[in-house]
Amino acid sequence: MFTDISHLTRPLPQDNLSKFFGSLTLSITGFGVWNQTDVSIIRNFMITDHEVVYMLRGESEITHEGKSYLCRAGDTVLFEPFQMYSAHCLSAERVQYVYLHFSVEPYLLQQELAGMLRGDGSPVYSGRPFSSFHFMYENLCSAEEQRLEGHALLLQLALQRTLLAMVHQRRDLTVRYEPPRFDSRQTEIIGEAVSHVLNHMDEPVRVAQIAQDIGVSENKMYKSFMDVLHVSPSRYFLQIKIKRARELLRQTDLSVEEISVATGFSSAFHLSRTFKEILGVSPSQLRHQKE
């Protein structure tokens, strides 16, 4: 004899926010723990991907766009790509935090996610449930030290849980989230243009030529980028190249001259000037910075 309980089960409802996160690919590009004991040091930095920082111990002052925010143990900070930040250690005790660098694909949804997270403009998230994440992040550090199988999956789950908590704190949940609706032709144009740049990384950025190569007018390509990504094609392409140059600086022993050739800049000077304009530091300064 058996009891039929199928009538007690029902499909899990899929809300729009869950669908949105399900459509994202969050790729973790870096994870680690940072310790700082010198309260006199102010770190100025800019990154080329997204970064979530969870404060385990101590206090820091985060400055962004001329405003300062206090960050205490149990708080989470979100740093966005290509924006300048500074961090000043305030504690007599050491400051310790966990960091997760990640990229977001498809790139068409990066701005949508950023808008959902940005809220009032503060990069710092406080209160519950963030204070309850302390145990989760300490376990992530322990799992990495022990090289436990499944550590990458734990990182993914922690990142998703943290981002969802950020959205819940910043959004008015009485307002239904509607997935963005983009002009399909515009998204195709952006995809083709970005693929062209990635496949010709060693060539200089010539917007008119790229538009011609993918079969659209320069004005049409410009409007597509501005409507969907809110950034000009030339700026976006340069960011792609600077991101690649940064990866080569971090991961290889190639000279700045060799990297300039690999990323399509006319000279090491041209690369260095653009690099500093976008990231705030020169290639040589970044190469000698600690991770």
Side-chain angles (χ1 to χ4, degrees):
M1 177 180 178
F2 73 95
T3 302
D4 182 6
I5 62 170
S6 60
H7 65 286
L8 299 177
T9 62
R10 61 187 64 182
L12 184 67
Q14 283 292 303
D15 59 275
N16 283 325
L17 187 57
S18 297
K19 290 179 181 177
F20 175 76
F21 269 84
S23 67
L24 297 177
T25 298
L26 303 172
S27 301
I28 295 175
T29 54
F31 169 77
V33 180
W34 177 275
N35 291 282
Q36 183 175 332
T37 56
D38 190 342
V39 296
S40 65
I41 292 179
I42 298 178
R43 297 177 60 225
N44 298 295
F45 57 93
M46 183 184 288
I47 57 177
T48 58
D49 51 11
H50 294 79
E51 180 183 15
V52 162
V53 164
Y54 185 81
M55 295 288 292
L56 292 173
R57 294 170 181 82
E59 293 184 354
S60 283
E61 182 181 63
I62 307 296
T63 301
H64 175 236
E65 294 185 341
K67 296 182 180 180
S68 296
Y69 308 90
L70 183 61
C71 183
R72 299 185 175 94
D75 291 349
T76 303
V77 188
L78 176 69
F79 297 118
E80 296 184 59
F82 301 106
Q83 296 194 31
M84 183 64 70
Y85 298 90
S86 67
H88 183 197
C89 173
L90 300 177
S91 310
E93 63 176 311
R94 69 183 172 121
V95 168
Q96 183 182 53
Y97 62 77
V98 179
Y99 61 85
L100 274 170
H101 284 265
F102 65 98
S103 60
V104 181
E105 297 293 339
Y107 54 85
L108 295 176
L109 297 182
Q110 291 179 16
Q111 289 292 331
E112 186 68 20
L113 177 63
M116 294 167 68
L117 295 171
R118 194 172 295 123
D120 59 7
S122 168
V124 179
Y125 299 75
S126 303
R128 295 188 60 85
F130 301 101
S131 58
S132 66
F133 289 169
H134 189 102
F135 183 70
M136 176 180 72
Y137 277 102
E138 285 206 320
N139 275 351
L140 287 175
C141 300
S142 176
E144 184 188 41
E145 290 173 0
Q146 299 173 33
R147 300 185 181 278
L148 294 181
E149 289 291 328
H151 184 243
L153 178 58
L154 290 175
L155 291 175
Q156 284 281 353
L157 295 173
L159 177 60
Q160 289 182 348
R161 185 179 175 189
T162 302
L163 293 178
L164 187 58
M166 290 176 172
V167 173
H168 283 167
Q169 185 177 91
R170 291 292 163 87
R171 284 182 61 238
D172 178 359
L173 293 180
T174 63
V175 178
R176 179 170 177 154
Y177 168 71
E178 293 292 341
R181 295 181 175 87
F182 297 125
D183 180 289
S184 60
R185 180 54 186 149
Q186 287 184 322
T187 62
E188 289 175 4
I189 290 170
I190 293 171
E192 291 171 6
V194 170
S195 294
H196 187 284
V197 172
L198 292 174
N199 292 329
H200 300 81
M201 186 60 69
D202 60 343
E203 297 179 5
V205 168
R206 296 189 178 95
V207 175
Q209 184 63 52
I210 293 171
Q212 181 179 327
D213 289 346
I214 66 173
V216 298
S217 70
E218 188 175 349
N219 286 340
K220 178 67 173 178
M221 187 169 75
Y222 179 86
K223 188 175 188 306
S224 297
F225 272 80
M226 294 303 297
D227 286 352
V228 178
L229 298 181
H230 312 295
V231 66
S232 68
S234 59
R235 187 68 177 182
Y236 196 82
F237 298 154
L238 280 178
Q239 289 179 353
I240 291 174
K241 286 180 173 290
I242 291 302
K243 182 176 181 179
R244 178 55 181 157
R246 183 181 183 274
E247 292 171 352
L248 292 173
L249 283 164
R250 290 293 199 191
Q251 299 169 10
T252 74
D253 294 324
L254 293 175
S255 68
V256 175
E257 182 68 43
E258 289 171 321
I259 292 174
S260 70
V261 173
T263 51
F265 288 90
S266 59
S267 65
F269 174 77
H270 185 201
L271 169 61
S272 297
R273 185 179 63 186
T274 308
F275 201 95
K276 189 163 187 177
E277 175 201 342
I278 292 179
L279 294 185
V281 296
S282 68
S284 59
Q285 287 173 326
L286 184 136
R287 173 163 270 171
H288 290 95
Q289 286 179 357
K290 293 181 179 179
E291 291 287 350

